[in-house]
Amino acid sequence: MRDFYGVRLDSRLMLGTAQYPSPAILAEAFRASGAGVATVSLRREQGAGQDFWALIRELGVRVLPNTAGCYTVKEAVTTAHMAREVFETPWIKLEVIGHADTLQPDPFGLVEAARILADDGFAVFPYTTEDLVLADRLIEAGCRVLMPWGAPIGSGLGLNNRYGLRALRAHFPEVPLVVDAGLGLPSQAAEAMELGYDAVLLNTAVAKAGDPVAMARAFALAVEAGRLAWAADPMEPRDMAAPSTPVIGKAWLT
């Protein structure tokens, strides 16, 4: 497992804490998932109060606050500073949204906010696209982790640009990469891990499932299977068929 800002996690699954039917189901889903990180919105915590924060503490996982819903650099930076005080961690999942319909990140604002926060001692986890140039700029700004989307947040579409995600992995072999957003099925999480990604982050696919606890367990197994498959050096696809049964020793009729 790669280090995330010097922290080695036990699980490659990161899970969000919003939209669950009840706090009890949220806690049970986390236990079933084995997730090592919980993403938490400052706005949600403020609205839910101390009971929600106490529940998050009881999960026994690392907290990754986010700047969800921020559309400007100033708003994102201010939210990050507030989150650092509330959650007592320098970790921040940085979101600077640029498009209201797709929730696509604003690349210019994202880099600016990342630089400000990194200079101020934050461990920035930027929610970004799979763009290689943007990735370079974020690393130059001080980010040591990249979190490209698989698809728009909450869409469940999976990996919309496998080529781009594969290229990102190839160009930044030493940078921890996390597929963040858009995953709807465990098979999509397994596919992300098969591309060599270090972790996946998701929320809606578990929280809005008919059985969130069962779905959390399914994602946990998929992430493990995908990582094992990548580490096993899978065969390359080919255009032509190749017999799986050897022909040595086969009787030849004349």
Side-chain angles (χ1 to χ4, degrees), residues 73-244:
V73 172
K74 182 179 180 180
E75 187 180 14
V77 170
T78 300
T79 301
H81 279 89
M82 293 172 64
R84 182 164 62 179
E85 292 185 15
V86 171
F87 298 109
E88 300 176 341
T89 176
W91 281 23
I92 191 73
K93 178 189 169 188
L94 177 61
E95 298 182 27
V96 182
I97 302 302
H99 193 278
D101 291 334
T102 65
L103 300 181
Q104 180 172 327
D106 171 2
F108 309 103
L110 183 63
V111 171
E112 183 180 350
R115 181 173 290 108
I116 293 170
L117 293 174
D119 288 346
D120 197 30
F122 281 86
V124 182
F125 292 69
Y127 162 64
T128 181
T129 64
E130 68 280 9
D131 184 274
L132 292 175
V133 177
L134 176 54
D136 258 330
R137 298 294 183 271
L138 288 169
I139 291 171
E140 291 172 359
C143 298
R144 290 163 52 191
V145 175
L146 297 174
M147 303 183 77
W149 66 349
I153 295 172
S155 67
L157 292 173
L159 308 183
N160 275 355
N161 185 359
R162 292 166 182 80
Y163 168 80
L165 292 171
R166 190 178 294 111
L168 198 65
R169 175 75 285 173
H171 279 76
F172 301 98
E174 303 303 322
V175 177
L177 299 180
V178 181
V179 169
D180 173 21
L183 299 181
L185 292 170
S187 58
Q188 296 163 353
E191 186 177 6
M193 301 306 294
E194 289 167 2
L195 293 177
Y197 276 67
D198 298 289
V200 298
L201 193 160
L202 55 112
N203 187 162
T204 309
V206 169
K208 303 300 286 185
D211 186 340
V213 178
M215 187 61 78
R217 179 60 178 156
F219 268 101
L221 294 172
V223 168
E224 182 179 358
R227 182 65 186 186
L228 287 172
W230 177 83
D233 191 16
M235 64 174 285
E236 291 291 334
R238 48 191 167 198
D239 294 330
M240 300 295 292
S244 57

